[in-house]
């Protein structure tokens, strides 16, 4: 209760301040922005167009005449984003000190990846003015993309990939780096949930995400340790327009694993008091492919709820955000019967048997399985005064992860991690000084982990870190320069554990300190050509798993040994980019070189007698791994071209390619390749977009995509850790539209098909590639998902309108 009251203090104070302001007369004029949104060529009004100020979390929708109005806007500089389905997003910088009328005209030529970002910067910034490679994915694009989890949905972005363990478990990788090198942000808070483990995914409710932003490259300047590879920011709650009560019901069915999901949300806004409430249920059975048939114990289910309540006034906003993520999922072992090649249940126990068709057809989860819960409360505040802003973001998270691996006692917690984290983030955006925008800030976290299971993989520990930074940005006539410096320190206290009279974990303390920073420029040579360059230094402190792990768990099928002498990883990355946006085509190219010092990786231990070092784990012998360090380098590029020939503005031919190569400075057991580097990839998509087919069908789209992944011939072969992976090509398609009656959208339909030709393939980053050999077929490991059809329906609900 004390923690809840602590988070309510800013909200209560803000609410009282708002009431006081309404009762005290003031000579300061209240600021509003109003006008009309039209088609640039025809001059026709665009009812339903969106106007949004990301820093202020204020937005509205144009009425039937295309007119809009925003009230209670704080004085000062604002970045306004104007968007409408089928049109290019418009970003405008405005200095508002009094009420202003301004009309906006949108172009029907859709240019990809325009808009505003709030990730990796101190304030809302146009994507075009950001010197680092960044992508923004809206709800509409997420709905058009069949996926089984939110990370899977983002892998269509060039340079973004996933380490997967079946459909439910995906860990993001950006330009060849992942795990604790990628920071996930949700509602302004870095997600803390044992992300060092590969056997569970991000604790984010996929169906409630309104927008996702991906920064590719070191972002330690704003986020401190761990943002070495980049940042993924999921935005769920955004206030609806004033005087509105609206919602959605979204459902999804997928044929491959029988996934069924439904999400409902309801949001309102009256006199600045705004709120949102959502809930999601998701259930899936075992997925299948043509080589393995149905893959035993690959099902999962989720029950998630969340929402917020807040107040937005001319002084800023204060929001209280709550969420609960609750997922049950099976852990795929891939063990098979030698004689038949069929999957085995409860291998290595007295209950061992061949899985039957009934077992495979069930949605029931067998041992081993896990439950992942993530509870979070956030106090998100933004106060505007004297042309400056004070941002205060406080959060408490409790991550509970349980692994059940005892077939004879399925309720026994073999592993039970109880992770509690308090996050804090304070930023002061200083008043503009001769067109320089500066922000100073401090952020960090306090964290503790307890082990409540029968076994322990990592020790119990306490962690505290704090970092201070300065971020500056200056916009010239054609160029935007931004950058800053940061200093961090982190202290870890690890607890001793005595097990069976022997010391399993020694008590120790470690401290890590680092300086990070970045400097970059975005140069708009013309209104159609932009050049970008950025230099950034990032760092990552070792995790407790890397420093002190000593144990096995079902999720990885390996025994891990930590190394207490590990040093922090550091990186120095250079980025360059070039963007062309013309009427008939757009081209985007970005390249990078990343120098990594003390790169941490795990490798198999070699037995003194040759072969793998094996550890007896309750009768099963599993391979042993240990964490090491080595200097390394990564280099690569992403390139895309979107051809949209005039007057066929409805036609898009989009092509994207991504490539990354990672190497150690010195070979390790004969291999100088970094582990888990994704293969080169090429995607080609032909898409037709029609804003209005007839009076009933609006925003119609149809697309056909070829997704080609090339062979990975550069695996980390040291100690037989990885093997080469064959290439493959997947044929995907999609079609959808809004069904309209008059001026009201009744519902929207999104149909998608992945792997239409039912190709049997293994991703190089699939952990299932290294499960047991099928002695009948001779194939090693479990294959990825086969043919899958997805059906989504979105029903909008609107009860009142201003």
């Amino acid at each position: 209760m004390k923690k809840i009251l602590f988070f309510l203090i800013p909200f209560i104070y803000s609410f009282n301040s708002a009431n006081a302001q309404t009762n005290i007369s003031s000579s300061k004029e209240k600021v509003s922005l109003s006008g009309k949104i039209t088609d640039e060529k025809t001059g026709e009004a665009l009812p339903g167009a969106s106007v949004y100020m990301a820093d202020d979390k204020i937005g509205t929708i144009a009425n039937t005449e295309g007119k809009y109005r925003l009230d209670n806007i704080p004085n000062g500089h604002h970045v306004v984003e104007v968007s409408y389905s089928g049109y290019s997003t418009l970003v405008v910088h405005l200095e508002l000190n009094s009420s202003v009328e301004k009309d906006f005209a949108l172009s029907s030529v859709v240019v990809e990846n325009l808009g505003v970002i709030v990730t990796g910067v101190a304030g809302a910034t146009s994507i075009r003015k950001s010197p680092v490679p960044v992508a923004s994915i809206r709800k509409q694009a997420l709905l058009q993309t069949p996926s089984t989890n939110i990370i899977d949905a983002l892998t269509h972005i060039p340079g973004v990939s996933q380490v997967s363990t079946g459909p439910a478990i995906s860990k993001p990788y950006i330009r060849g780096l992942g795990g604790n090198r990628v920071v996930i942000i949700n509602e302004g808070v870095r997600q803390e949930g044992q992300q060092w483990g590969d056997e569970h995914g991000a604790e984010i409710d996929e169906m409630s995400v309104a927008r996702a932003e991906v920064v590719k490259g070191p972002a330690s300047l704003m986020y401190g340790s761990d943002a070495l590879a980049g940042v993924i920011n999921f935005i769920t709650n955004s206030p609806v327009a004033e005087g509105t009560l609206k919602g959605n019901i979204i459902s999804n069915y997928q044929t491959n694993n029988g996934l069924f999901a439904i999400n409902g949300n309801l949001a309102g806004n009256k006199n600045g008091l705004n709120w949102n409430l959502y809930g999601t249920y998701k259930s899936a059975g075992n997925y299948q492919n043509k080589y393995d048939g149905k893959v035993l114990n690959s099902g999962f289910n989720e029950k998630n709820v969340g929402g917020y309540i807040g107040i937005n006034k001319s002084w800023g906003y204060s929001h209280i955000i709550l969420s609960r993520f609750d997922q049950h999922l099976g852990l795929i072992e891939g063990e098979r019967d030698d004689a038949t090649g069929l999957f085995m249940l409860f291998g290595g126990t007295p209950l061992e048997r061949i899985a039957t068709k009934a077992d495979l057809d069930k949605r029931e989860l067998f041992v081993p399985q896990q439950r992942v819960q993530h509870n979070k409360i956030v106090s998100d505040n933004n106060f505007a005064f004297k042309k400056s802003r004070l941002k205060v973001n406080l959060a408490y998270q409790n991550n509970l992860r349980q692994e059940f691996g005892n077939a004879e006692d399925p309720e026994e917690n073999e592993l039970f991690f109880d992770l509690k984290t308090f996050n804090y983030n304070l930023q002061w955006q200083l008043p503009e000084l001769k067109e320089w925008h500066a922000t100073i800030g401090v952020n960090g976290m306090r964290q503790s982990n307890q082990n409540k299971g029968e076994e322990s993989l990592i020790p119990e520990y306490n962690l505290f870190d704090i970092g201070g930074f300065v971020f500056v940005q200056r916009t010239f006539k054609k160029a935007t320069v931004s950058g800053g410096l940061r200093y961090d320190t982190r202290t870890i206290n690890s607890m001793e554990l005595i097990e069976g009279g022997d010391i399993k974990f020694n008590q120790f303390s470690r401290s890590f300190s680092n300086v990070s920073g970045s400097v970059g420029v975005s140069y708009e040579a013309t209104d159609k050509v932009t050049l970008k360059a950025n230099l950034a230094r990032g760092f990552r402190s070792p995790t407790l798993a890397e420093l002190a792990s000593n144990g096995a768990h079902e999720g990885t099928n390996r025994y891990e040994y930590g190394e207490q002498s590990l040093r922090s990883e550091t990186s120095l990355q250079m980025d360059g980019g070039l963007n062309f946006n013309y009427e008939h085509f757009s081209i985007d190219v970005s390249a990078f070189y990343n120098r990594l010092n003390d790169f941490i990786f795990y490798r198999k231990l070699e037995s003194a007698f040759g072969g793998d070092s094996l550890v007896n784990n309750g009768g099963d012998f599993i391979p042993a791994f240990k964490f090491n360090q080595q200097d390394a380098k990564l280099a690569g590029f992403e390139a895309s071209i979107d051809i949209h020939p005039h007057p066929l503005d409805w036609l898009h031919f989009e092509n994207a390619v991504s490539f990354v190569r990672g190497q150690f400075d010195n070979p390790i057991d004969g291999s100088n390749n970094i582990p888990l580097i994704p293969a080169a990839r090429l995607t080609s998509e032909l898409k037709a977009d029609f804003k209005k087919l007839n009076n009933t069908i609006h925003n119609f789209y149809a697309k056909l995509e070829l997704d080609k992944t090339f062979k990975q011939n550069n695996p980390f072969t040291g100690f037989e850790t990885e093997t080469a992976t064959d290439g493959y090509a997947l044929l995907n398609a999609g079609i959808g539209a809004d069904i309209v009656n008059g001026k009201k959208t009744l519902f929207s339909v999104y149909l998608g098909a992945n792997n239409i030709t039912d190709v049997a393939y293994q991703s190089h980053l699939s952990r299932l590639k290294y499960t047991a050999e099928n002695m009948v077929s001779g194939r090693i490991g479990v294959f990825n998902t086969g043919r899958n059809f997805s059906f989504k329906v979105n029903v909008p609900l609107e009860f009142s309108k201003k």
Side-chain angles (χ1 to χ4, degrees):
M1 180 60 72
K2 289 181 180 179
K3 291 176 182 175
I4 294 176
L5 290 174
F6 176 79
F7 285 94
L8 288 174
I9 288 173
F11 177 74
I12 295 170
Y13 174 78
S14 302
F15 188 78
N16 290 334
S17 298
N19 288 334
Q21 285 190 4
T22 58
N23 295 323
I24 298 175
S25 61
S26 172
S27 60
K28 183 164 66 174
E29 180 184 356
K30 291 185 177 180
V31 177
S32 65
L33 178 66
S34 59
K36 187 175 182 178
I37 306 173
T38 58
D39 184 297
E40 184 181 61
K41 291 185 177 179
T42 67
E44 294 180 1
L46 298 179
S50 169
V51 182
Y52 189 66
M53 295 181 175
D55 273 340
D56 308 287
K57 294 192 176 179
I58 300 173
T60 191
I61 301 296
N63 63 18
T64 55
E65 298 176 348
K67 294 181 178 180
Y68 74 93
R69 182 180 179 87
L70 289 172
D71 293 310
N72 291 322
I73 302 174
N75 285 9
H77 182 83
H78 298 271
V79 181
V80 183
E81 183 181 46
V82 186
S83 61
Y84 189 60
S85 180
Y87 288 78
S88 290
T89 298
L90 181 66
V91 178
V92 180
H93 291 251
L94 296 176
E95 196 71 30
L96 299 176
N97 297 307
S98 60
S99 295
V100 171
E101 289 190 15
K102 186 169 181 62
D103 297 336
F104 298 111
L106 300 184
S107 169
S108 59
V109 178
V110 178
V111 178
E112 298 295 330
N113 212 26
L114 293 181
V116 168
I117 58 163
V118 296
T119 310
V121 290
T125 301
S126 165
I127 291 178
R128 197 176 183 195
K129 295 182 183 297
S130 171
V132 299
V134 61
S136 178
I137 309 297
R138 295 175 178 272
K139 184 77 170 183
Q140 189 75 359
L142 293 173
L143 287 172
Q144 292 181 11
T145 304
S147 60
T148 54
N149 64 74
I150 189 59
I151 302 302
D152 182 43
L154 299 184
T155 57
H156 286 72
I157 300 171
V160 179
S161 50
Q162 59 180 322
V163 168
S164 64
T165 314
I169 304 174
S170 296
K171 306 289 282 192
Y173 265 58
I174 299 176
R175 291 177 161 179
L177 297 175
N180 271 69
R181 300 177 184 94
V182 174
V183 166
I184 293 179
I185 305 292
N186 184 223
E187 302 301 348
V189 179
R190 60 182 290 163
Q191 193 87 351
E192 289 294 323
Q194 311 283 3
Q195 58 265 35
W196 49 266
D198 292 333
E199 69 286 349
H200 65 286
E203 304 89 350
I204 305 292
D205 179 23
E206 174 195 12
M207 300 187 75
S208 69
V209 173
R211 189 169 85 251
E213 297 178 359
V214 179
V215 175
K216 293 182 276 188
S220 294
L221 172 61
M222 299 302 298
Y223 302 104
S225 177
D226 302 352
L228 200 70
V231 177
I232 299 176
N233 185 8
F234 296 108
I235 299 164
T236 299
N237 297 294
S238 295
V240 296
E242 170 65 37
T244 298
L245 178 63
K246 63 192 300 185
N248 292 80
I249 297 176
I250 303 172
S251 60
N252 181 208
Y253 176 75
Q254 298 185 20
T255 59
N256 185 279
N257 59 357
L259 181 145
F260 172 75
I262 187 165
N263 167 273
N265 89 285
L266 187 65
N269 190 340
K270 180 126 179 113
N271 297 325
L273 182 64
N274 49 88
W275 54 273
N276 180 46
L277 181 66
Y278 68 84
T280 296
Y281 174 76
K282 184 185 289 188
S283 172
N286 295 313
Y287 84 90
Q288 56 191 307
N289 59 66
K290 70 178 183 181
Y291 281 172
D292 299 309
K294 290 192 174 182
V295 177
L296 181 67
N297 214 27
S298 59
F300 63 96
N301 62 77
E302 293 178 19
K303 298 175 183 177
N304 310 320
V305 295
Y308 85 99
I309 184 169
I311 189 164
N312 288 60
K313 293 293 182 180
S314 59
W315 47 259
Y317 65 82
S318 181
H319 295 166
I320 295 293
I321 305 167
L322 297 165
S323 65
R324 176 179 174 82
F325 178 92
D326 191 355
Q327 182 185 58
H328 296 255
L329 62 160
L331 294 171
I332 304 167
E333 292 186 301
E335 294 186 13
R336 301 176 186 269
D337 176 57
D338 289 346
T340 64
L342 299 176
F343 288 112
M344 297 292 296
L345 262 177
F346 315 128
T349 74
L351 302 177
E352 180 180 273
R353 62 179 176 84
I354 296 175
T356 64
K357 183 178 183 301
D359 294 326
L360 294 168
D361 290 341
K362 289 179 181 177
R363 289 179 183 254
E364 177 185 352
L365 303 180
F366 298 102
V367 168
Q369 61 172 281
Q370 63 177 318
R371 182 183 186 184
V372 180
Q373 298 168 277
H374 197 92
N375 305 306
K376 182 164 55 181
I377 177 171
V378 181
S379 175
D380 185 24
N381 311 275
N382 190 326
F383 304 106
F385 56 93
K386 295 183 179 180
K387 294 190 177 181
S388 68
R389 291 175 183 266
L390 178 63
K391 297 181 179 181
V392 181
N393 187 292
L394 307 172
Y396 173 76
Q397 306 175 65
N398 185 202
N399 184 272
L400 304 167
R401 184 162 70 85
Q402 304 169 69
E403 288 190 10
F404 307 92
N406 187 346
E408 298 177 77
D409 185 4
E411 300 299 318
E412 178 186 274
N413 286 305
E414 283 201 347
L415 291 175
F416 188 172
F417 303 96
D418 184 354
L419 182 68
K420 297 179 175 68
T421 306
F422 171 72
N423 302 84
Y424 59 93
N425 184 9
L426 291 84
Q427 296 182 24
W428 182 21
Q429 291 183 355
L430 302 173
E432 179 185 322
L433 180 62
K434 296 183 179 180
E435 298 189 53
W436 283 95
H437 297 269
T439 300
I440 58 175
V442 58
N443 53 32
M445 63 181 174
R446 182 182 180 275
Q447 189 174 84
S448 65
N449 182 73
Q450 290 181 291
N451 293 319
K452 298 182 176 180
E454 295 296 316
E455 302 175 7
S456 298
L457 175 62
I458 62 173
E460 296 187 344
Y461 68 90
N462 295 315
L463 178 152
F464 178 79
D465 79 2
I466 185 169
F469 68 90
V470 177
F471 179 90
V472 294
Q473 186 179 66
R474 170 72 154 87
T475 299
F476 299 90
K477 185 176 181 180
K478 288 191 172 184
T480 300
V481 178
S482 59
L485 286 172
R486 179 188 180 101
Y487 178 78
D488 282 271
T489 182
R490 171 176 289 187
T491 301
I492 300 173
N493 294 309
S494 180
M495 312 301 181
E496 181 183 68
L497 176 65
I498 298 176
E499 193 175 82
D502 297 322
I503 296 178
K504 182 169 185 177
F505 300 118
N506 291 305
Q507 189 279 331
F508 70 92
S509 297
R510 290 289 308 274
S511 294
F512 304 91
S513 298
N514 275 281
V515 175
S516 53
S518 71
V519 59
V521 60
S522 175
Y523 178 69
E524 299 175 35
T526 70
D527 61 345
K528 301 183 184 303
V529 179
T530 305
L531 296 93
K532 300 184 178 187
N534 194 73
L535 180 66
R537 186 181 192 273
F539 83 99
R540 182 181 77 89
S541 300
T543 67
L544 252 293
E546 293 164 340
L547 290 169
S549 59
N550 183 9
H553 56 105
E554 300 291 344
T556 62
N557 195 37
R558 64 177 180 247
Y559 197 100
E560 297 177 355
Y561 292 102
E563 176 54 65
Q564 290 185 22
S565 64
L566 294 176
R567 301 173 298 278
S568 290
E569 293 179 343
T570 59
S571 73
L572 184 65
Q573 179 164 314
M574 294 177 285
D575 282 279
L578 183 61
N579 179 264
F580 298 92
N581 281 324
Y582 288 93
E583 184 178 12
H584 304 294
F585 67 92
S586 58
I587 298 175
D588 190 78
V589 179
S590 59
F592 69 95
Y593 176 82
N594 191 358
R595 180 65 187 170
L596 289 162
N597 292 323
D598 297 315
F599 177 79
I600 301 172
F601 64 100
Y602 61 77
R603 63 172 179 83
K604 281 184 180 179
L605 289 180
E606 188 177 25
S607 170
F609 305 101
D612 294 339
S613 174
L614 302 177
V615 179
N616 188 340
N617 180 43
D620 289 332
F621 287 87
I622 60 177
F625 288 75
K626 188 177 179 66
F627 290 95
N628 278 24
Q629 285 187 294
Q630 170 75 267
D631 292 345
K633 54 186 175 292
L634 293 99
F637 68 91
E638 298 98 36
S640 62
I641 179 170
D642 179 7
I643 302 171
H644 38 80
H646 184 75
L648 305 178
D649 296 334
W650 51 269
L651 181 65
H652 285 258
F653 184 41
E654 301 176 18
N655 300 270
V657 61
S658 58
F659 170 81
V660 60
R661 181 85 162 92
Q663 293 178 294
F664 292 113
D665 283 5
N666 300 301
I668 298 172
D669 192 36
S671 177
N672 64 349
N673 298 312
I674 293 177
L676 297 174
I677 295 295
R681 184 182 181 194
L682 170 68
T683 59
S684 294
E685 180 183 271
L686 187 65
K687 185 176 182 182
D689 276 301
F690 296 94
K691 290 187 283 292
K692 185 176 180 180
L693 274 185
N694 53 45
N695 291 335
T696 302
I697 302 176
H698 291 190
N699 297 317
F700 172 86
Y701 73 91
K703 60 181 181 179
L704 184 66
E705 178 193 65
L706 179 66
D707 186 346
K708 168 65 177 176
T709 298
F710 294 89
K711 184 175 182 177
Q712 178 53 283
N713 283 316
N714 299 300
F716 175 56
T717 57
F719 309 103
E720 299 182 352
T721 303
E722 290 184 350
T723 59
T725 307
D726 289 335
Y728 52 89
L730 307 179
L731 185 65
N732 308 317
I735 188 171
D738 297 337
I739 308 302
V740 177
N741 182 16
K743 295 181 179 180
K744 183 179 180 181
T745 299
L746 300 179
F747 59 91
S748 303
V749 179
Y750 308 90
L751 308 179
N754 282 356
N755 194 4
I756 295 173
T757 57
D758 201 24
V759 173
Y761 70 99
Q762 288 178 318
S763 165
H764 185 68
L765 301 189
S766 171
R767 295 174 60 247
L768 300 181
K769 180 188 171 194
Y770 300 102
T771 55
E773 179 181 358
N774 185 331
M775 302 305 293
V776 175
S777 68
R779 302 186 189 100
I780 297 176
V782 175
F783 284 70
N784 286 67
T785 305
R787 183 187 296 117
N788 183 39
F789 295 96
S790 171
F791 305 88
K792 295 180 184 178
V793 178
N794 180 19
V795 181
L797 308 171
E798 188 161 336
F799 303 97
S800 61
K801 198 169 184 179
K802 187 176 177 180

